Amino acid sequence: MLVPTIDLNADIGESYGAWRMGDDDAVLDVVTSANIACGYHAGDPVTMLATLRAAARREVRIGAHVSYPDLVGFGRRELNCAGEEIAADVLYQLGALQALARSVGTFVRYVKPHGALYNRACADPDIAVVIADALASVGRIPVLLLAGSPGVAAAEGNGRPVVTEAFADRAYTPDGALAPRRHPGAVISDEAAVVERCLRLATDGTVITTDGTAIRIGARSLCLHGDTPNAAALARKAREALQAAGIGIAAFA
Amino acid sequence: MLVPTIDLNADIGESYGAWRMGDDDAVLDVVTSANIACGYHAGDPVTMLATLRAAARREVRIGAHVSYPDLVGFGRRELNCAGEEIAADVLYQLGALQALARSVGTFVRYVKPHGALYNRACADPDIAVVIADALASVGRIPVLLLAGSPGVAAAEGNGRPVVTEAFADRAYTPDGALAPRRHPGAVISDEAAVVERCLRLATDGTVITTDGTAIRIGARSLCLHGDTPNAAALARKAREALQAAGIGIAAFA
Amino acid sequence: MLVPTIDLNADIGESYGAWRMGDDDAVLDVVTSANIACGYHAGDPVTMLATLRAAARREVRIGAHVSYPDLVGFGRRELNCAGEEIAADVLYQLGALQALARSVGTFVRYVKPHGALYNRACADPDIAVVIADALASVGRIPVLLLAGSPGVAAAEGNGRPVVTEAFADRAYTPDGALAPRRHPGAVISDEAAVVERCLRLATDGTVITTDGTAIRIGARSLCLHGDTPNAAALARKAREALQAAGIGIAAFA
Amino acid sequence: MLVPTIDLNADIGESYGAWRMGDDDAVLDVVTSANIACGYHAGDPVTMLATLRAAARREVRIGAHVSYPDLVGFGRRELNCAGEEIAADVLYQLGALQALARSVGTFVRYVKPHGALYNRACADPDIAVVIADALASVGRIPVLLLAGSPGVAAAEGNGRPVVTEAFADRAYTPDGALAPRRHPGAVISDEAAVVERCLRLATDGTVITTDGTAIRIGARSLCLHGDTPNAAALARKAREALQAAGIGIAAFA
């Protein structure tokens, strides 16, 4: 019998210089994959090193959380970069994290676009391909994108390795897209509901959409948010519920 | 019979975004090693890619020209960073260039500190060791420093690979140090004199100091400046004179 | 009899740190209004001071050329800032230039958005109002926008002072919009044609559009480009032709 | 009879983009003068606006907390800028805050250098004069410096307005200098001791130095630290003790 298995990923290393953000230690105790900020939206080099050490100590897999260059906007504002700019920016950040990772005896296993770049890469097939092609030029590093999005189809169609993720705390529309954040109910804050959705996503790969129907998502990883103490506690509850249900918690890479 | 051999290095890739600097094509036609700016003092990722391609096309060896984070000051202002900050900043820049280099089929062979960081690394043994140790943590990448400087002795004393360089257009004091730039005659602009000094440095490894005596420098590379059209022409003259004198022009790495 | 009068404006002060851009001295000899970069896309504080002095010496009027925060992209990439971010960024840059101007005995008379922010302010009435309202909160400073654009109507409709400009080297569509740069013929490089269009715009306020019809633009200022030596020469020719035709060259503020 | 009066100042507005720092509301309820970060070490424009509104609402006086350009280092690392760079950077930051202040109906009354620039301005008479002269070029704005420091003497000797401050939580050497932070006992954490030192400084203007002797400091303001919740509580205790002792708490400007 095959045990269902899921990866848990979260954004960490989002401090910058004198500023602290998130409870990285608590989050790293829960997840199997850590998306580490690489200096463009957060994460100065000293912070990156400390984050890499903290992840490696727990054998949490390391991903490069690459962003538009927008520190003051935390990478959350769409910036109309050209494809060649995005490709170069992604490789710059990936390489920076790779060298720092190597210096502490570990390495980078995947790349996840952050914030506005994530939204664009999932929605715009051309940008997904730009990123996936850039990664292909330096090895065989998968890109982590939203399950069911046009970006996933485009990168896979181009023969690139992709890992898919779903959000247990976000509402999905019947066509499999995330409901926009500004819509009422787009973010699910009820802890029991989030845990229940985690279980569904990890067992049969489905989610209940905004019209009550179940659709298949089939994600390899669940994204847990980590920038509030509450989020770390919720992540822990989700993990415990998954384990209690006999689901394997394992990194994809 | 052993043919004397010298490497010629210059700083390139110092454009940034919409701003152009230097005549990189002309300089790359002359040198054997190219110190490529990595984003901290110059050289955005798109510029870095273009520079890497231009260097690789000519089989010019690639070095990471790493700097303090000071774009507006072009890395020329001393910034009192802690050692752990310098180590992390060096690895960040090196890694960024490594990934971009790999994407175009080449790789980084050495690291040269830029500007104020260069001055500090040459003068301060602790900082030279910080940088050399950081490099040792990711492979066996030599650091390029001023021949005869305390930094060279410290890094070598720590068992780290070091490549030494000399400046044909700078005056040396009798103790082997560079005369400070503010001193009259510190920078030698007479072309014939510079070429003559190149020949001396490449053949018997000596330089005539400010008091007229010759001292031994023994540098493996000569640094040619490249940020004016005139400098590129002078670099070409120096190269031609070296070749005419039967000296081998060859990269150190 | 009323003499037709036109203002000539150009972007200057676009150097940054060690990087030079444009022939500011030549441009300042021609224009009556200078759009000075304020640090977000170009123009570090030392450069701003030097530019202010150069403009004040010639009694050229000073405007703040305000941008999105995007140095590496030179402010040319659309950045999806919120209105409150734009308002605060505009005031930040304006105030910075105001203090530097005051320190050299001059002052700022208008604000012109730069690059992608200019395009957005001209096209999006809400953003034009955000900027005009921000300016109204610190005095009575006009905003310089594209004649005939929705932004002009919106800011004026809100009772804010607006100055309009036209481009003699850009093609206009029959509805009075600029032809997008990617269209063939969108940028007019023929010097005689540009000068001819300057004369038309300054005398009867019209321009010949892409379908050959003349439409009325009615701009108070002509924008001359200044970031190439050639552009400065063309600007001079345009000025001389305007003066020869008896048109007054005078700042609007 | 003259009531002794003291000003209380603290650093606020040190958040940046998505990052929060300090408990500004609690600190603003205690102090009479607020040193507001201006974007170089902290404080993006939106944060500056919010901080200005919070200070103005309580009639707390506003100062520009100007820094070296070093966001990742929080302005705490010495950067060897030239005098003309410092002058331009100070005016840039001051002007930015002035425009934002004006937009919310208030204004900037003084300038305090931050971090490494503060240390340099207090220790180096030339830099103190550079800053004071820059301020004189735009009005009559006092600079806030360490009581008894060479910087104070130099700026006052040049006829510039200076306000002096003392630190109740820092040890002083018998010659009136602050004991370096790395010395044991340099920072006084015992709350009762800090409050006691506040009272002494506010009443007879003296402090007990590291050798037990009392020396006269004579500061017009006390600097209270504000970047921890504990610091805000301590600041409140100090204020209450001063008021209980009949000392007037009043802004200097």
Side-chain angles (χ1 to χ4, degrees), chain B residues 221-245:
Chain B
S221 183
L222 296 181
C223 182
L224 303 175
H225 294 114
D227 55 357
T228 64
N230 189 47
L234 175 53
R236 179 174 297 276
K237 276 188 196 167
R239 182 185 173 110
E240 289 165 356
L242 290 165
Q243 289 177 311

Side-chain angles (χ1 to χ4, degrees), chain B residues 126-147:
Chain B
D126 290 346
I127 297 304
V129 168
V130 159
I131 294 173
D133 284 359
L135 300 184
S137 72
V138 294
R140 191 166 165 80
I141 301 173
V143 59
L144 181 56
L145 292 173
L146 181 66

